Amino acid sequence: MAVLAWLLIPLFAVVGAAIWAGWASRNRTSGDIAELAGYARFRDAMERAASPSDTDAVRP
């Protein structure tokens, strides 16, 4: 029975490694589109907020 226990340890390690490898190689590109759209909205808002004060700051 002890031999069976020692053989199960590597088996569990292989199964755990396979689960981790599958999780690590998953497709993560789905969130990029939403993040890029949010960044574009942020950039537009910052440009709109900065444009009125830019004319005041340029005065000599």
Side-chain angles (χ1 to χ4, degrees), residues 5-58:
W6 279 106
L7 289 175
L8 287 177
I9 292 171
L11 178 67
F12 287 140
V14 167
V15 170
I19 291 170
W20 178 82
W23 179 77
S25 67
R26 70 191 186 281
N27 187 4
R28 294 180 236 178
T29 59
S30 63
D32 290 344
I33 296 169
E35 290 177 13
L36 289 174
Y39 176 68
R41 287 192 308 270
F42 170 75
R43 207 175 50 207
D44 291 340
M46 293 304 289
E47 287 175 1
R48 282 194 306 265
S51 59
S53 63
D54 284 344
T55 57
D56 294 336
V58 176

